[in-house]
Amino acid sequence: MEKRELRREILERRATVADPQGAAIAIRESLLERPWVQMAGLVACYWSTGNEPATHGLVFALWKHGATVMLPVLRPDNDLDWAVYDGPDTLAPGRHGLLEPVDTRRGVDAIRTAALVIVPALAVDRTTGVRLGRGGGSYDRALARVGPNVPTVALLHEGELIDGVPAEPHDRAVRYAALPSGIVTVGAAAAQR
């Protein structure tokens, strides 16, 4: 199946997710139980939109537990700059209506310093860890800057951890998929276990 067709299929399914709030809570709680999440002092995450698994509660919980949380700021070239989240009142509409932190921009390389990286995905291949994004390449560029030992997590709805995500040379893999049913180690990270 081609990426475009797979994206369309998943977006159609996402429009019918039965309990999106319950799913977001389950994902948040599963992540917050992990020691590698609890110990992460600097977390790169994202502010969810639409039918994505909601991150608002997760971002707030990480922040309240003392982590510094960086959120992306979409640049005109579709690369991601990063700025620190300092509470719900520190977000403002950015490009395409996405909410972004108003804090000082830290540059595209700021993600290199994160101890945990949480990214959006429409699907993740359980065997390779390759994620299917929306097609802009923003998160593939960001993930290319992340060190090999940093936990990278894609948030998914049930049924979005699949076999056979089409991959291109620029596509980057994640180490974990977080679903309402739990955290799954994927790709090369799964093979090392």
Side-chain angles (χ1 to χ4, degrees), residues 68-89:
T68 299
V69 181
M70 295 187 304
L71 299 178
V73 177
L74 186 62
R75 294 168 26 133
D77 64 359
N78 282 339
D79 208 343
L80 299 176
D81 202 334
W82 298 89
V84 172
Y85 170 87
D86 198 20
D89 297 334

Side-chain angles (χ1 to χ4, degrees), residues 27-46:
I27 290 169
R28 180 186 71 213
E29 296 308 311
S30 289
L31 281 169
L32 292 175
E33 290 174 357
R34 299 291 174 127
W36 44 267
V37 173
Q38 295 169 6
M39 296 184 302
L42 179 61
V43 179
C45 194
Y46 65 99

Side-chain angles (χ1 to χ4, degrees), residues 95-131:
R95 289 185 62 217
H96 307 295
L98 299 173
L99 288 179
E100 301 173 339
V102 297
D103 189 50
T104 303
R105 307 297 185 247
R106 296 182 175 222
V108 296
D109 287 327
I111 195 168
R112 293 182 193 277
T113 62
L116 170 63
V117 177
I118 300 170
V119 297
L122 292 173
V124 170
D125 189 298
R126 77 178 78 248
T127 305
T128 64
V130 169
R131 56 175 285 285

